[in-house]
Amino acid sequence: MAVLAMNEQYILEEEAARKIVSASPVKLKKSNVFHDHNMSDDEAIAHASNILKRRKCK
């Protein structure tokens, strides 16, 4: 399996690809650090919009 990443090509052996695909997902612990992965799509879009608005004002 070949994977392209930023103009670089990496070759994965079939066994390595199987390990990646079969790995169980990792649950992220709750923390006080802001992450937009905890937001709904609408909240994340609104937050990103607010960030862009603040940057335009400077």
Side-chain angles (χ1 to χ4, degrees):
M1 170 188 280
V3 179
L4 278 174
M6 299 295 292
N7 300 327
E8 298 286 333
Q9 184 173 5
Y10 300 96
I11 306 296
L12 283 177
E13 295 178 7
E14 190 172 340
E15 185 62 30
R18 282 195 183 125
K19 283 183 180 180
I20 292 169
V21 171
S22 66
S24 60
V26 175
K27 286 242 178 188
L28 297 176
K29 295 178 183 176
K30 287 261 186 183
S31 70
N32 292 332
V33 177
F34 177 78
H35 296 282
D36 60 353
H37 72 271
N38 291 333
M39 299 175 144
S40 69
D41 287 345
D42 291 337
E43 289 172 327
I45 291 169
H47 181 69
S49 176
N50 288 336
I51 290 172
L52 291 174
K53 285 177 189 173
R54 278 187 263 142
R55 288 182 183 171
K56 287 180 184 176
C57 293
K58 290 184 178 182

